[in-house]
Amino acid sequence: MEPLFLTLLLALFVSSITVCLFLVFYNHRSQNSYPNLPPGTLGLPYVGESFEFLANGWKGHPEKFIFDRIAKYSSQVFKTNLLGEPAAVLCGAAGNKFLFSNENKLVDKWWPDSVNKIFPSSLQTSSKEEAKKMRKLLPLFMKPEALQRYIGIMDTVAQRQFTSGWENKEQVLVFPLAKNYTFSLACRLFLSLEDPSHVARFSDPFQLLASGIFSIPIDLPGTPFHRAIKASNFIRTELLAIIRQRNKDLAEGKASPTQDILSHMLVTCDENGKCMNELDIADKILGLLVGGHDTASAACTFIVKYLAELPHIYEEVYKEQMEIAKSKTPGELLNWGDIQKMKYSWNVACEVMRISPPVQGSFREALNDFIFNGFTIPKGWKLYWSASSTHRNPVYFPEPEKFDPARFEGNGPAPYTFVPFGGGPRMCPGKEYARLEILVFMHNLVKRFTFEKLIQDEKIVVNPLPIPEKGLPVRLHPHKA
């Protein structure tokens, strides 16, 4: 009886595997059944071309995946399979314009399932829905007139960071210090959190979280994805304690309803008079803290890299910043007028973000079948735009490997070619915030030091942000008084 049972069990197992494989391959083949799909390949079932897509970033050349296929298929749009999803990659200014201008019409924002698992909503809605809610809340705090009052705070935070982490040091690792600066700033402006020890409690978990966002979604101990989920849960617990204390302080008149984004969320209700619960606010603050510091810290790091490599560029930035510094009385903080004078410095920052964009691109999802460049894009397919498809393209930026801030003088690059913050309705709502924190960083950096790289050919790893493999060690040379 036992051998017969084992035989039946084995037959059932084999049948199940066969059916699963059939469904996977059938689904994979059915993706090719539409007429006139873009050229390209979906690769292996489920895996697709994800490994090559990610591996090019790990090797420091994310643009290679894009340009190899543009050349291979002689097309500005190609099909592939990324992160388990059939996808079309739209390249060039025309592709960017199409995606950005058809937001909420033909396409909508899409995140991999891994993002929803790391950032689960307490309301059981998707990251996409939560992002829409956040975009309604942010303008009050992120528009230029509102940000003007933050410049002095940014300067204060920057001065403290340079005093504690940079001054009286012969050598420093730039990337961790840049992250400390942008993260401390986000904690201060979003949560009114200033205690360095409290900020430090968040710091390491946030690094684990950021590194796992676009990792392979295998939730097993020791994997980046598993560590990211654990970090997310820890941070959410910490945020809940802060939120509950703030609620108490608001009730007792010890906190202001307008002092930061946290207070605003706690007192703001929707059109039906319903306010967000504490878990919902924790979810949103978590996303804000990630978005509010990660990309800017990468930009600040690469600004140091290029200023160290290009002394003539450094000299012009130094000259502009010292004119501002000399106009200030002792102890006077930077203000909006000072920021407006930093035109060359911002051109330099833009050229840094052109060559080394902090965000490589992002995904959309087709809401319906549509035609682009004569090719059919099926409903449900994912669409990817890549900053490198224009930033590193000589059609839009002659001699793209050359560092030239003059590209951003006058009217600057053509529309939809310079896209470090995306574009259209989905343009990063924190663009102006990022501009201010980057310029405040540059001001405090160059007025204190010149610097030189200690590893001349340090490898750059993109995962998903560009990061110098060793953290960009530099030797500091303080200016003589």
Side-chain angles (χ1 to χ4, degrees), residues 381-395:
W381 270 39
K382 307 310 177 271
L383 302 119
Y384 183 75
W385 65 267
S386 164
S388 295
S389 80
T390 53
H391 288 197
R392 295 294 191 103
N393 192 326
V395 171

Side-chain angles (χ1 to χ4, degrees), residues 43-62:
L44 295 171
Y46 188 75
V47 176
E49 296 187 294
S50 302
F51 182 77
E52 188 175 352
F53 175 73
L54 295 171
N56 277 295
W58 299 334
K59 294 173 184 175
H61 301 286

Side-chain angles (χ1 to χ4, degrees), residues 66-242:
I66 304 296
F67 286 118
D68 282 358
R69 283 155 182 76
I70 291 174
K72 181 177 181 179
Y73 304 122
S74 301
S75 174
Q76 290 292 304
V77 54
F78 60 86
K79 70 172 180 279
T80 182
N81 183 307
L82 299 175
L83 306 177
E85 300 282 349
V89 179
L90 276 57
C91 305
N96 292 342
K97 180 179 180 180
F98 181 88
L99 289 178
F100 298 156
S101 59
N102 280 291
E103 195 77 48
N104 303 322
K105 301 171 189 174
L106 295 175
V107 302
D108 202 359
K109 190 76 175 178
W110 178 81
W111 282 274
D113 284 342
S114 57
V115 175
N116 284 322
K117 289 176 181 174
I118 293 173
F119 298 101
S121 168
S122 61
L123 300 181
Q124 302 305 307
T125 54
S126 68
S127 295
K128 180 169 66 179
E129 292 302 315
E130 294 306 299
K132 287 180 180 177
K133 294 177 186 176
M134 278 306 304
R135 297 183 77 85
K136 293 178 182 178
L137 283 169
L138 285 178
L140 179 67
F141 286 89
M142 294 300 181
K143 56 187 178 183
E145 52 268 36
L147 288 169
Q148 291 182 29
R149 68 177 185 268
Y150 299 154
I151 296 170
I153 297 173
M154 289 181 170
D155 195 17
T156 300
V157 171
Q159 289 183 35
R160 288 176 185 165
Q161 290 290 315
F162 275 93
T163 299
S164 63
W166 297 72
E167 291 179 0
N168 302 312
K169 306 268 195 316
E170 290 186 8
Q171 301 176 9
V172 296
L173 285 178
V174 174
F175 183 62
L177 290 173
K179 287 189 80 69
N180 284 345
Y181 162 66
T182 58
F183 188 62
S184 297
L185 200 51
C187 286
R188 170 63 183 84
L189 293 175
F190 300 165
L191 299 170
S192 298
L193 197 64
E194 296 186 74
D195 180 3
S197 63
H198 206 160
V199 173
R201 278 177 61 80
F202 282 117
S203 186
D204 288 343
F206 262 99
Q207 313 320 319
L208 293 173
L209 188 153
S211 63
I213 290 175
F214 288 104
S215 62
I216 298 169
I218 298 174
D219 189 7
L220 292 174
T223 63
F225 185 64
H226 180 79
R227 289 195 293 266
I229 290 175
K230 282 187 67 176
S232 175
N233 291 335
F234 171 83
I235 295 165
R236 194 175 284 101
T237 301
E238 291 285 306
L239 286 174
L240 280 171
I242 293 170

